[in-house]
Amino acid sequence: MLRADEEGAGEPAAPTAPVGETVEEVVERARASGLRVELTRRGPDGGTPAMADRAVHRLVVESLTNAAEHAPGAPVRVALERTASTVTVAVSSGPAARPAGGEPPARPASGGTGLVGLDERVRLAGGRLTHGARADGGFVVRAVLPLEPGALAPEAVRPPAPTSVRERDRAAREVRRGLAQAVWIPLALVAALGVVMLVFGLWTQSRSFLDRDDYAGLRVGDALSADAERLPPHPLDGPPAGAPPPSRPAWTTACTTGRR
């Protein structure tokens, strides 16, 4: 209905299959339209729950329609396998016919609405849908559906996340990784710079002190060049810790108070 609305209110409604149509009848309709379809069945006969039966019917119809559209002329195989607790349906289409002197046409990209709807229908019936390309260029759609509650293990029932969800999760992880890098990289650089400055400060401070023996050898009036070797190679950035503030000469104090 949503797809019909997108096409326009004046468009005719999409044709529907006859009510109660079996898989055999679907295959016969496809053969009558010119599609090369082979149907195989395995397992015992028996009743199928309504939800599972409609899911099987919908999968076969959708898969045959896609095969006729995307791989015209290719053989299609529909396989139904039934056990005491599950029914498995698989539709496998071969690659499209190779044109004379050329490569086989690539399978056109589809909007994916058919597979999304199939996935939802199979999930509501308690089953699991898988689909993908084959090594020879064909395509296969497969669903496993339970015939009774609890026939499938929970991990088998849970469908794989749609591509949009996986892409969204991947984008969210990349955003979180980018934010973490934007925060931690500057912090790490600042911390590294702080460590370097601390080490350099400690090193320069150790090279800014004059030994007691060298200090005792200094004499007022000696030439600076004579004592250059005794002086520390680096000046101290500030007064040593615990040193009293430097006293001002008496004449500066007198000028400050207005006395001469």
Side-chain angles (χ1 to χ4, degrees):
M1 291 175 65
L2 290 175
R3 295 174 66 184
D5 290 342
E6 292 175 359
E7 295 172 357
E11 296 291 335
T16 58
V19 178
E21 185 181 39
T22 64
V23 173
E24 287 81 0
E25 292 171 342
V26 174
V27 172
E28 288 301 326
R29 265 199 307 128
R31 287 173 179 167
S33 66
L35 198 64
R36 297 163 53 191
V37 188
E38 176 187 357
L39 173 64
T40 59
R41 299 183 68 104
R42 291 182 181 179
D45 294 331
T48 304
M51 290 288 290
D53 187 64
R54 285 194 291 269
V56 170
H57 179 271
R58 187 70 247 170
L59 185 145
V60 174
V61 171
E62 184 74 23
S63 299
L64 292 179
T65 302
N66 289 340
E69 179 181 358
H70 300 318
V76 183
R77 181 182 178 185
V78 179
L80 286 173
E81 183 175 356
R82 184 186 177 97
T83 65
S85 58
T86 63
V87 58
T88 302
V89 56
V91 180
S92 178
S93 60
R98 181 190 299 269
E103 295 294 329
R107 180 181 294 271
S110 146
T113 55
L115 291 176
V116 171
L118 282 179
D119 183 79
E120 180 69 11
R121 183 180 292 271
V122 171
R123 186 185 66 82
L124 291 177
R128 179 178 180 180
L129 177 76
T130 57
H131 53 80
R134 300 187 322 198
D136 61 356
F139 199 80
V140 59
V141 181
R142 182 175 181 271
V144 182
L145 296 147
L147 297 178
E148 55 188 23
L152 296 179
E155 58 273 11
V157 174
R158 186 175 60 250
T163 302
S164 59
V165 176
R166 294 196 299 269
E167 291 295 329
R168 182 189 63 189
D169 293 341
R170 182 179 62 83
R173 288 195 299 269
E174 291 180 355
V175 170
R176 289 194 296 267
R177 187 183 302 113
L179 290 176
Q181 292 175 353
V183 172
W184 289 110
I185 289 179
L187 290 179
L189 292 177
V190 171
L193 182 61
V195 171
V196 171
M197 294 180 62
L198 178 62
V199 172
F200 181 77
L202 294 176
W203 179 79
T204 55
Q205 188 174 7
S206 66
R207 304 277 292 174
S208 301
F209 287 97
L210 186 65
D211 293 338
R212 185 177 297 275
D213 295 338
D214 292 336
Y215 178 76
L218 296 177
R219 295 291 182 271
V220 177
D222 291 345
L224 180 62
S225 58
D227 296 327
E229 296 181 355
R230 299 182 180 182
L231 297 178
H234 293 281
L236 197 62
D237 294 336
S247 58
R248 293 184 296 177
W251 67 271
T252 60
T253 305
C255 291
T256 304
T257 56
R259 294 176 298 176
R260 298 188 179 183

